């Protein structure tokens, strides 16, 4: 009898958690497992703000997917997924079509622009390693060009970050470290640089603990970062952004660098494939299957789950993506044995937000932490993801081992 084929799309936190768990749970005779990813490397999405600011080289952020696979059980296909034909049970990629019996979709997120004009064309997004590399290069080019211009253009040294969510704040924290280095390297007076964060909501990190938010804001302000709060970006142009400061009151700010960090949506493939979705995320069944599709599981940022305690979606995080991945591996192993599937409940440990260098804020197991303690905790969390997917060897190779 032909072995069933399990196809996993995406080698991010969700997809790799499925693979590395499933390869331990089943034997090579139980199923053919195929992993499809557009690159032959995995990147730590949770470190992309560091690569974008240039405080960490992008090669440190990525590792070879082959190194974590059991090649006797898993075949890796480097290809870009273009569509999924659920009726024909096949995945269409830029290179070939791949038939499946069981499918896991873990294609991650894309930046959400909410239809705001000009953002797609004129703003950067910390979306993947190539985008991070481009942001770093672009900022450095602005500094290099400013240093040799006869007539100085201040917008070269103006960086606007749209959104003061966790991504925006972590990126600003890294810029707080990187900008003084760039000023020194290009002989630029730090006073000529303007770092501005524009947030639509009435506070930074909306919904997070106020005491911790105040700590973060005053630390980032001490690094020269300005905040414009309650002032949504309404347009991006080749010259900068337009923000709304009140009823019919708008301000245009000139900036050569606009980084959009104001929210995420799921992967466009979800919409293309015709799944019922909300902003390219599928509201999954309790066992993490797509409604109406008994052989399709969704993990990570493409999955939407409601937190019954507050009747709102869980935020899309690596923490949940990895737990979902491990759970789906168990459910697929159960399915292959004809056993019942288990419902998934996330186990939330807390949130730590880096502020750059040795500074961070966080709430872990219900306790608030700040400063060096929080920064160490963030590194522990970052290393834990490597440990779970690749074991101690990967931690030694890629981990953040310098804790202080
Ligand atoms: P990803 O990890 O994004 O992986 C998706 C994979 O699919 C990638 O390998 C990609 O190359 C591949 N792919 C995409 N499209 C295709 C295609 N068409 N064909 C083939 N392959 C494709 N969460 C936390 O819990 N803690 C944090 O500290 C944290 N920090 C963050 C910092 C930043 C800067 C950002 C942007 C996010 C952060 N998050 C954090 C959120 C977290 O990174 C995401 O929730 C998590 O990456 C989602 O995992 P995933 O597996 O769904 O997708
Ligand atoms: P987010 O949705 O959490 O934050 C986006 C921010 O942009 C919000 O504060 C929102 O009010 C603001 N915004 C929306 N429209 C705007 C506009 N027009 N103008 C100005 N501001 C606008 O998105 P994110 O920060 O990209 O985070 C995405 C996910 O990744 C979240 O689930 C987050 O928890 C997770 N994440 C976690 C960490 C961490 O745990 N350290 C770090 C980064 C991201």
């Amino acid at each position: 009898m032909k072995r069933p084929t399990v196809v996993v799309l995406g080698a991010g936190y969700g997809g790799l958690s499925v693979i590395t768990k499933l390869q331990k749970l089943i034997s090579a005779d139980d199923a053919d497992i195929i992993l499809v990813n557009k690159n032959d490397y995995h990147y730590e999405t949770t470190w992309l703000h560091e690569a974008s600011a240039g405080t960490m080289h992008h090669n440190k952020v990525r590792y070879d997917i082959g190194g974590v696979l059991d090649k006797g059980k898993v075949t890796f296909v480097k290809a870009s997924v273009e569509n999924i034909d659920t009726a024909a049970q096949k995945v269409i990629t830029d290179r070939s079509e791949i038939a499946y019996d069981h499918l896991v979709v873990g294609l991650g997120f894309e930046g959400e622009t909410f239809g705001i004009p000009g953002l797609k064309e004129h703003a950067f997004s910390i979306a993947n390693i190539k985008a991070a590399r481009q942001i770093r290069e672009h900022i450095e080019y602005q500094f290099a060009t400013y240093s040799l211009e006869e007539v100085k253009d201040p917008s070269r040294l103006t960086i606007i970050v749209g959104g003061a969510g966790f991504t925006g704040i972590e990126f600003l924290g890294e810029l707080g470290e990187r900008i003084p280095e760039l000023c020194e390297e290009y002989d630029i007076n730090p006073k000529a640089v303007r770092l501005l964060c524009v947030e639509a909501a009435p506070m930074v990190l909306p919904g997070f603990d106020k005491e911790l938010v105040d700590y973060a804001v005053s630390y980032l302000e001490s690094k020269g970062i300005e905040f414009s709060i309650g002032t949504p970006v309404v347009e991006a142009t080749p010259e900068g952004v337009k923000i709304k400061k009140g009823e019919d009151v708008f301000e245009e700010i000139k900036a050569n660098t606009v980084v959009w960090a104001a929210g995420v949506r799921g992967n466009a493939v979800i919409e293309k494939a015709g799944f019922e979705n909300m902003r390219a995320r599928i509201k999954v069944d309790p066992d993490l299957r797509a409604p109406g599709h008994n052989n399709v599981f969704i993990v990570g940022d493409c999955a939407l789950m409601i937190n019954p305690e507050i009747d709102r979606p869980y935020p899309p995080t690596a923490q949940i993506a990895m737990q979902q991945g491990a759970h789906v591996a168990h459910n697929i192993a159960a399915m292959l044995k004809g056993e019942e599937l288990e419902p998934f409940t996330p186990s939330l440990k807390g949130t730590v937000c880096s502020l750059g260098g040795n500074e961070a804020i966080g709430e872990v197991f219900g306790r608030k932490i700040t400063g060096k303690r929080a920064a160490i905790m963030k590194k522990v969390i970052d290393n834990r993801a490597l440990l779970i997917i690749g074991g101690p060897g990967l931690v030694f190779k890629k981990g953040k081992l310098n804790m202080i």
Side-chain angles (χ1 to χ4, degrees):
M1 210 174 81
K2 187 189 166 295
R3 284 190 298 266
T5 303
V6 179
V7 175
V8 178
L9 307 181
Y13 293 102
L16 273 194
S17 297
V18 177
I19 289 287
T20 51
K21 185 58 94 179
L22 191 60
Q23 67 189 11
K24 288 188 189 135
L25 291 175
I26 66 171
S27 80
D29 294 332
D30 292 330
D32 291 324
I33 308 175
I34 300 174
L35 171 65
V36 185
N37 195 64
K38 60 165 71 157
N39 309 302
D40 51 14
Y41 55 82
H42 159 94
Y43 50 82
E44 295 293 299
T45 306
T46 60
W47 306 6
L48 285 179
H49 55 291
E50 296 170 76
S52 302
T55 47
M56 182 183 281
H57 193 272
H58 57 269
N59 282 341
K60 177 88 181 160
V61 176
R62 62 178 168 179
Y63 59 82
D64 236 4
I65 289 169
V68 298
L69 302 184
D70 178 341
K71 295 191 182 101
K73 293 180 184 171
V74 182
T75 305
F76 175 66
V77 175
K78 182 180 164 189
S80 190
V81 176
E82 291 177 343
N83 210 339
I84 302 163
D85 183 342
T86 51
Q89 297 197 178
K90 63 182 185 186
V91 174
I92 296 102
T93 79
D94 58 346
R95 306 184 60 184
S96 62
E97 295 189 352
I98 303 166
Y100 67 83
D101 297 295
H102 306 280
L103 181 70
V104 184
V105 184
L107 292 171
F109 69 95
E110 291 175 10
E112 176 60 279
T113 59
F114 306 105
I116 297 170
L119 278 174
K120 277 202 177 114
E121 300 80 7
H122 307 302
F124 296 97
S125 166
I126 305 175
N128 53 49
I129 210 153
K130 291 174 186 164
R133 197 162 50 194
Q134 189 195 22
I135 295 170
R136 184 201 71 202
E137 289 281 333
H138 170 85
I139 292 174
E140 186 152 355
Y141 177 80
Q142 298 306 316
F143 276 71
T145 309
Y146 181 92
S147 74
L148 56 74
E149 271 172 347
E150 287 287 329
V151 181
K152 304 287 186 203
D153 173 3
S155 55
R156 286 203 185 278
L157 302 187
T158 305
I159 301 174
I160 292 180
V161 176
F166 287 105
T167 300
I169 292 299
E170 289 200 327
F171 179 56
L172 286 160
E174 295 307 313
L175 287 179
E177 300 293 306
R178 179 71 177 140
I179 296 303
E181 289 173 4
L182 287 173
C183 287
E184 197 169 322
E185 193 170 340
Y186 292 101
D187 309 312
I188 289 171
N189 181 348
K191 289 202 173 95
V193 181
R194 184 173 188 208
L195 290 181
L196 173 66
C197 177
V198 181
E199 167 58 49
M203 70 181 282
V204 164
L205 296 174
F208 206 51
D209 179 89
K210 182 167 180 325
E211 194 187 335
L212 295 174
V213 172
D214 288 347
Y215 182 99
V217 170
S218 66
Y219 175 74
L220 293 175
E221 282 178 342
S222 78
K223 291 276 188 172
I225 292 158
E226 292 171 52
F227 289 90
S228 176
I229 303 301
T231 54
V233 172
V234 292
E235 190 181 346
T237 66
E239 284 78 42
V241 295
K242 193 175 181 187
I243 66 174
K244 186 168 189 231
K245 297 193 96 169
E247 203 52 43
D248 292 329
V249 185
F250 297 93
E251 183 186 343
E252 282 177 42
I253 306 168
K254 289 197 166 175
N256 273 17
T257 310
V258 178
V259 177
W260 190 241
V264 294
R265 62 195 338 271
N267 193 298
V269 168
I270 296 285
E271 294 168 311
K272 234 170 135 186
F275 290 102
E276 198 176 312
N277 70 86
M278 289 159 75
R279 289 162 57 189
R281 301 177 74 202
I282 298 173
K283 193 171 171 200
V284 287
D285 287 339
D287 55 23
L288 297 174
R289 283 186 288 186
H293 298 273
N294 279 341
N295 58 348
V296 180
F297 292 88
I298 314 292
V299 294
D301 286 5
C302 291
L304 180 85
M305 279 180 55
I306 301 295
N307 180 346
E309 282 171 26
I310 50 170
D311 199 27
R312 294 196 53 188
Y314 286 103
T317 63
Q319 186 181 170
I320 293 182
M322 290 180 72
Q323 292 177 14
Q324 288 174 329
H327 191 87
V328 163
H330 278 284
N331 271 350
I332 290 177
M335 224 171 179
L336 295 172
K337 291 183 205 142
E339 295 169 1
E340 291 284 299
L341 305 197
E342 296 283 337
F344 171 73
T345 312
S347 158
L348 301 180
K349 317 266 187 277
T351 302
V352 181
C353 175
S354 160
L355 302 175
N358 276 325
E359 281 290 341
I361 52 167
E363 246 181 335
V364 182
F365 296 115
R367 297 185 69 177
K368 294 182 207 180
I369 47 172
T370 57
K372 201 181 253 184
R373 230 154 52 95
I376 291 173
M377 180 56 78
K378 182 78 172 82
K379 288 178 187 166
V380 170
I381 294 167
D382 288 348
N383 289 340
R384 186 170 173 270
L386 296 173
L387 183 70
I388 291 173
I389 287 176
L394 189 58
V395 179
F396 283 117
K397 217 162 140 191
K398 291 285 171 180
K400 296 181 176 176
L401 302 177
N402 183 5
M403 287 287 170
I404 308 155

